[in-house]
Amino acid sequence: MTTGLHPGGQPQDPRPTGNQALPRQERVGHGAPHADNRTRSAVITARAAASFDPVGRSVATARSFVRDTLQGWGFADIVDDAVVLTSELVTNAVVHAGTSADVLCLRSDEGVRIEVADRYPEREIPLQATAVNMGSPDREGGRGLQLCAALAGRWGVDYSPTHKQVWFHLDLPDRPVGTRTAGPSLPAHLLPLADGRVRVAVIQIDRAGAISAWNEDAEDLFGYAAEQVIGKPLTDLAAWPHTPGTSTGIVEALQLSRWEGTYGLRAASGRVTPVYASHLRVRDTGGEPSTVCLLVRDHERAVLQTPLRASATDTTTSSEGQATDPFEVFIGSPAPDDLDGLLQRTVERARDMLDGDSAFLLLATDDETELEVRASTGLPSARQRFARVPVEAGPGRYGSARMPAVHEDLTVVPGAVPLLAGTGMRSVVTVPLKVEGRLTGSLGVAAEGPSRYSNEEALRLQFAADRIALAVESARLGELERLRRGSLSFLVEASDLLAGTLDRDQTLALMAQMTVPTLATWCAVYTIADQASDPYLSYVLHEDEERIDGLKALLSKIAPPDPVPTPGARVWAAPGEAAHQAALRTSMRSLGLGEPASITSGIGTTLATAAAVGGETVVLPLVARNRVIGMLTLGKPSDEHFRQEILELAEDLSRRAALALDNARLYSERTAISQSLQRSLLPPDLPHIDGVEVEVIYRAAGEGNEVGGDFYDLFPIRDGVYGFAIGDVCGTGPEAAAVTGLARHALRLLAREGFGGPAVLERLNSAILDEGARSRFLTLLYGELWPQEDGSAMLKVVCAGHPLPLRLRQDGTVEAAAEPQPLLGVMEDLELYEQTITLDPGDVLLCVTDGVTERREGTRMLGDDGLADVLTTCTGLTAGAVAARIMRAVERFASDAPSDDMAILAMRVPGLLRD
């Protein structure tokens, strides 16, 4: 949802303008034969606009937007009618028509005009020639225009090719000039309580969210001088509570035209001071927007709080004598659509009904052994939300949430209601919520004074709890079903992501990114290399990237959690305690009370880190193959708790993440071992041969392979004589690499024993055949090289089933330099012979494996002729340049990655280089 308010000026139509046709006015309400545009010509003194997505929750958000806007303008008398009409029209748009809705509120001296536009330009107007037929009240749609006809002073519909806009005008009732709201005279003992002088902090926040003004009362309330905070973001000081039913945070609240509610500000002492605030968005003469915030201590909220409109009746019978649903009498109608909104409305109505200072509502877990705080008013709700207390806190009826209980003075029985410890509440009444005899929750109201409640109030509250219990349970089950569906989708997506990588670092990053911000505000992953190693902080992530460094520094200074293999989440208090101590030291230094520091972070980084880590922190073990390989740590900001459903989802995720992390570890270890063994099969650095240039290029096919079935070698046999080989074992991968190692080492050993080329290959053939079922046939080009004093080089080669070597002469001619002979590893008796080649200065001998010549693109193949054509262009090039040009030609011949190993060995007798 996007909102905005612009005081004064003419309204700007929120709909697209472009080249669309001018809107056409249709018949309007109250029998008007033509469109009534008097509101359009009136002086517009303020406007507020908002857009809502086509989802069901947008209807409740639209109601809240209109209610807050009109109450902010002081039009409480017409709020209910406006909210009802807006609710119907937005429902028609986002639910029935399935489009987004734009809501525009216009304030003028004649009243209020509200326009609701959608993107479903269908014409359906109730005729006004006859009496309006409201139809069945049980119908889901079609009532919006009929309600406009019944409630609005004027209304109408505007159409364009892409939009439909329904507007209605509500006149303001007559009231005394200058009076907005008024209350009766009250005895002194009924007036709101204030501690001595009431201080109203006035804080101004600029466009960027930084504090630009800080008055003296703000200094008295929070302990910071103006120069300490001006220029700092308000978010560094604010402890923002979860707003039930919405995702509004302090950044969003500062952008709204008007906002009113409760949150906390962290004082210089490090403690959070609950405040009641009223925000107003203004702009200066230059058009620069800012937000003016008025704040008082929460118990003095009456100074700023807008009085709520009293209910028209407190009985179960309306003025017309018709029976009214007791649920609607208590909760109000219409009831909120979401569970959090319903629970918050419940505690507010319960508090008002018993004239209490606070109220709270807890929901029971599935096994009815614990109660979880879900809504509260008049209490530090952020600290209490999702906290858990046992159903049976002690012996007797007063220690069980299953029975109504009245505590006249909590100071006499400390700890009787743990939820109220340290809140200043003294008397409390609690009643159970039950559905079909099963405990589903507990509702309580508390007051600061003692002996405020008796059994009579308990009966009244129990009556209200009985009315609301079924609706709460139904909403809870609906929310639980939505959470479970969402959890299933989340786990499926998480499993797919984790299964898609075997990289350890990427797995750690995925674990953190899947938990933040979906499950927690921040997370840290500790890993354990082996059972003898200590946990190591491997990864830290916060939803605010600017907090990551401070969070990492804080966690690095404290001992890691114990690697306990017990499944489930356990609370880890160390980060919160460390954050609190760091914030306290920083605050004391800023006030000159602590030891001086060489580098002072002030109230910025340390306090922000403390707020980020100061909530509940839990640790989940990462267990894979019956071994703890790490811990997943999840945290909330100051005073927040985890929901049990979130912890259960995090536990499921930790099991999947642990297995993925261990798989990544095993894969990394296997890859490292495999690569180490493969590197041992490659020859060491090529020897330097006087008078001959040598260059080798090797590419092994297959991911993670450094050596395959192709191999090469160049080694000294004796002084002035060198052996060289290039071969291809059938197949690729580890099996082929094993034969590669056998062949390379056998060649070196046999050659240095003085055997000639044919004898070397015949003995190698016997060694391959001795491998039995593991043997593989082998093509091999083996030769001996004798550099000559005249600058030439003599070679004796044997080509056993291998692609023939090619000789490039200085004149550019290319010819085969050997004859083909039988390959190795197939026949026992081989009759091989060697051939002598003389390389003149400038000549090149090119030896390749079949991965080069059999490079394919569809039905085309490079082949021996294609290789010879490329070699003819290499006249005058060095051996390195020849090998590089051949490899580029092979790679460019086809777009797909090579599927076979490739080796290129180029030898050149230096001659006259080409310019």
Side-chain angles (χ1 to χ4, degrees):
M1 182 192 78
T2 57
T3 63
L5 181 142
H6 307 277
Q10 293 299 319
Q12 299 176 0
D13 196 332
R15 298 167 297 165
T17 55
N19 297 322
Q20 68 181 22
L22 294 175
R24 179 167 62 88
Q25 297 286 345
E26 300 288 343
R27 185 179 298 274
V28 298
H30 290 266
H34 302 288
D36 190 339
N37 281 328
R38 286 178 290 169
T39 309
R40 288 284 191 181
S41 61
V43 177
I44 304 301
T45 58
R47 71 187 293 271
S51 297
F52 302 93
D53 296 329
V55 292
R57 63 177 179 272
S58 294
V59 179
T61 311
R63 288 198 296 263
S64 299
F65 164 71
V66 172
R67 183 182 299 276
D68 292 343
T69 299
L70 298 190
Q71 287 182 343
W73 289 346
F75 295 161
D77 298 306
I78 60 173
V79 164
D80 288 345
D81 289 345
V83 167
V84 169
L85 295 178
T86 303
S87 178
E88 289 295 331
L89 297 177
V90 173
T91 299
N92 289 341
V94 304
V95 176
H96 301 303
T99 76
S100 59
D102 300 324
V103 179
L104 175 66
C105 302
L106 301 174
R107 182 183 70 185
S108 69
D109 50 358
E110 295 183 357
V112 172
R113 171 179 171 131
I114 297 178
E115 302 175 357
V116 179
D118 62 41
R119 292 166 176 79
Y120 189 72
E122 179 180 331
R123 292 163 170 77
E124 183 179 351
I125 308 299
L127 299 178
Q128 300 297 308
T130 59
V132 176
N133 178 17
M134 297 298 293
S136 171
D138 297 326
R139 284 200 309 163
E140 293 185 1
R143 299 179 300 182
L145 301 181
Q146 296 172 337
L147 286 174
C148 288
L151 299 179
R154 297 186 299 277
W155 67 276
V157 184
D158 299 341
Y159 287 106
S160 75
T162 59
H163 288 71
K164 178 182 71 178
Q165 180 195 79
V166 182
W167 62 267
F168 59 87
H169 181 89
L170 298 174
D171 296 319
L172 298 177
D174 295 332
R175 54 187 173 183
V177 177
T179 301
R180 176 177 173 184
T181 60
S185 299
L186 294 176
H189 69 279
L190 296 179
L191 297 176
L193 181 65
D195 298 337
R197 175 192 165 195
V198 176
R199 290 177 172 82
V200 180
V202 181
I203 305 174
Q204 193 155 0
I205 311 300
D206 62 18
R207 178 197 292 268
I211 300 171
S212 59
W214 184 270
N215 72 340
E216 293 181 1
D217 280 357
E219 295 182 12
D220 292 337
L221 285 175
F222 309 118
Y224 298 116
E227 57 269 17
Q228 291 181 280
V229 295
I230 289 181
K232 302 284 186 181
L234 182 62
T235 53
D236 285 355
L237 302 181
W240 190 260
H242 171 79
T243 304
T246 71
S247 59
T248 304
I250 187 169
V251 176
E252 292 81 7
L254 291 174
Q255 299 298 319
L256 298 178
S257 61
R258 185 181 294 274
W259 183 89
E260 189 174 321
T262 304
Y263 53 91
L265 277 184
R266 193 176 298 278
S269 64
R271 298 183 63 85
V272 174
T273 301
V275 297
Y276 193 84
S278 176
H279 297 176
L280 177 66
R281 190 77 165 161
V282 299
R283 59 175 176 167
D284 59 20
T285 55
E288 185 70 15
S290 62
T291 303
V292 177
C293 307
L294 306 181
L295 301 93
V296 297
R297 286 172 291 191
D298 189 55
H299 65 273
E300 297 171 341
R301 63 169 58 199
V303 175
L304 299 179
Q305 188 172 21
T306 301
L308 298 176
R309 184 177 181 183
S311 178
T313 176
D314 290 330
T315 66
T316 59
T317 305
S318 65
S319 57
E320 290 80 8
Q322 298 177 347
T324 307
D325 186 354
F327 168 79
E328 293 187 359
V329 171
F330 174 68
I331 199 64
S333 183
D337 295 332
D338 59 299
L339 176 62
D340 286 335
L342 177 61
L343 299 183
Q344 192 65 24
R345 180 82 67 85
T346 299
V347 295
E348 291 172 356
R349 293 293 188 271
R351 178 200 60 190
D352 296 342
M353 183 179 71
L354 297 188
D355 193 23
D357 297 309
S358 64
F360 52 89
L361 192 149
L362 302 86
L363 294 183
T365 56
D366 291 338
D367 57 5
E368 298 182 22
T369 60
E370 288 184 306
L371 295 168
E372 185 178 64
V373 181
R374 291 299 303 270
S376 64
T377 182
L379 297 174
S381 57
R383 175 171 64 86
Q384 304 292 350
R385 187 168 171 79
F386 301 126
R388 290 199 164 203
V389 296
V391 171
E392 307 293 343
R397 63 168 293 180
Y398 291 111
S400 174
R402 302 181 187 277
M403 299 292 291
V406 177
H407 296 273
E408 295 184 349
D409 194 344
L410 293 178
T411 60
V412 178
V413 190
V417 184
L419 187 64
L420 301 179
T423 61
M425 302 297 158
R426 297 185 63 180
S427 55
V428 59
V429 54
T430 61
V431 297
L433 288 92
K434 293 185 177 181
V435 175
E436 297 180 351
R438 183 174 60 87
L439 180 69
T440 61
S442 178
L443 176 63
V445 178
E448 295 178 348
S451 305
R452 286 280 299 275
Y453 303 117
S454 63
N455 288 339
E456 181 180 351
E457 284 77 17
L459 289 174
R460 292 180 59 196
L461 189 61
Q462 185 66 70
F463 178 80
D466 293 341
R467 304 284 77 75
I468 195 68
L470 185 60
V472 169
E473 179 67 3
S474 177
R476 186 189 73 86
L477 293 176
E479 180 194 64
L480 186 60
E481 180 62 24
R482 289 191 296 272
L483 284 174
R484 286 174 177 169
R485 287 199 301 267
S487 299
L488 182 60
S489 300
F490 173 78
L491 290 175
V492 169
E493 182 180 359
S495 299
D496 289 343
L497 290 174
L498 291 171
T501 179
L502 287 172
D503 182 82
R504 176 183 177 276
D505 294 337
Q506 189 173 1
T507 302
L508 289 172
L510 284 174
M511 291 169 57
Q513 292 165 6
M514 284 185 294
T515 56
V516 177
T518 305
L519 305 182
T521 304
W522 64 269
C523 87
V525 183
Y526 291 84
T527 56
I528 303 175
D530 53 61
Q531 294 181 351
S533 302
D534 294 328
Y536 174 75
L537 182 62
S538 299
Y539 202 91
V540 176
L541 184 65
H542 192 282
E543 65 180 5
D544 184 354
E545 294 183 356
E546 297 180 356
R547 303 283 183 260
I548 295 178
D549 292 338
L551 177 59
K552 186 182 299 183
L554 179 69
L555 294 176
S556 300
K557 295 177 182 177
I558 61 178
D562 296 330
V564 178
T566 306
R570 54 191 173 91
V571 177
W572 185 31
E577 294 172 356
H580 176 74
Q581 294 298 324
L584 185 59
R585 288 193 298 269
T586 300
S587 299
M588 293 179 66
R589 283 199 300 267
S590 66
L591 296 174
L593 301 177
E595 67 279 359
S598 58
I599 300 177
T600 302
S601 60
I603 63 174
T605 304
T606 303
L607 291 182
T609 303
V613 187
E616 187 175 56
T617 302
V618 297
V619 178
L620 298 103
L622 298 174
V623 181
R625 299 174 176 89
N626 298 320
R627 186 175 73 88
V628 180
I629 64 171
M631 287 86 70
L632 177 63
T633 303
L634 306 180
K636 285 283 190 179
S638 293
D639 301 332
E640 288 195 22
H641 294 267
F642 284 96
R643 296 185 60 175
Q644 184 62 24
E645 293 85 354
I646 296 298
L647 294 180
E648 293 172 356
L649 181 58
E651 186 177 356
D652 287 338
L653 176 64
S654 68
R655 287 194 291 267
R656 290 165 169 79
L659 188 58
L661 185 61
D662 199 47
N663 287 339
R665 177 187 62 84
L666 293 175
Y667 177 77
S668 298
E669 291 178 356
R670 186 190 69 82
T671 301
I673 294 173
S674 174
Q675 291 176 348
S676 178
L677 292 174
Q678 290 183 53
R679 281 192 294 269
S680 69
L681 300 178
L682 293 174
D685 294 338
L686 298 178
H688 175 73
I689 304 176
D690 292 333
V692 179
E693 298 174 358
V694 179
E695 182 65 27
V696 174
I697 296 179
Y698 184 85
R699 295 287 188 273
E703 183 180 358
N705 290 332
E706 294 188 11
V707 176
D710 291 7
F711 69 96
Y712 67 92
D713 201 0
L714 179 64
F715 56 92
I717 298 176
R718 55 187 176 272
D719 290 342
V721 181
Y722 298 87
F724 67 91
I726 183 168
D728 184 3
V729 178
C730 174
T732 60
E735 293 83 2
V739 179
T740 296
L742 171 64
R744 194 176 70 81
H745 292 293
L747 287 175
R748 287 191 172 217
L749 179 63
L750 294 171
R752 286 170 178 171
E753 288 294 322
F755 292 99
V760 168
L761 268 60
E762 289 169 0
R763 285 163 173 76
L764 175 60
N765 180 63
S766 298
I768 294 174
L769 292 175
D770 289 342
E771 291 292 308
R774 295 182 299 175
S775 66
R776 289 170 175 259
F777 65 81
L778 167 67
T779 68
L780 180 65
L781 173 66
Y782 173 76
E784 295 179 356
L785 170 66
W786 282 273
Q788 303 297 309
E789 294 182 357
D790 61 358
S792 63
M794 185 179 69
L795 295 88
K796 294 182 178 181
V797 299
V798 180
C799 187
H802 198 77
L804 300 180
L806 299 179
R807 176 180 180 178
L808 171 65
R809 297 183 181 274
Q810 274 198 330
D811 60 4
T813 59
V814 175
E815 60 185 7
E819 297 176 355
Q821 300 183 57
L823 52 78
L824 308 181
V826 177
M827 298 180 294
E828 293 185 0
D829 297 327
L830 292 180
E831 294 184 1
L832 302 175
Y833 59 92
E834 62 184 8
Q835 297 174 273
T836 302
I837 307 170
T838 300
L839 295 181
D840 296 325
D843 288 354
V844 175
L845 184 69
L846 177 66
C847 309
V848 300
T849 59
D850 60 5
V852 173
T853 56
E854 294 179 2
R855 177 75 162 144
R856 295 178 181 275
E857 174 71 16
T859 58
R860 297 187 306 121
M861 185 172 71
L862 179 64
D864 296 333
D865 293 339
L867 179 62
D869 292 340
V870 177
L871 186 59
T872 57
T873 66
C874 299
T875 304
L877 298 181
T878 63
V882 171
R885 178 169 293 186
I886 297 297
M887 178 55 72
R888 284 198 303 270
V890 172
E891 291 175 341
R892 292 173 181 174
F893 187 79
S895 57
D896 296 336
S899 59
D900 194 6
D901 304 329
M902 292 187 294
I904 300 174
L905 172 61
M907 292 183 289
R908 178 180 182 276
V909 178
L912 204 52
L913 291 179
R914 185 176 61 186
D915 293 335

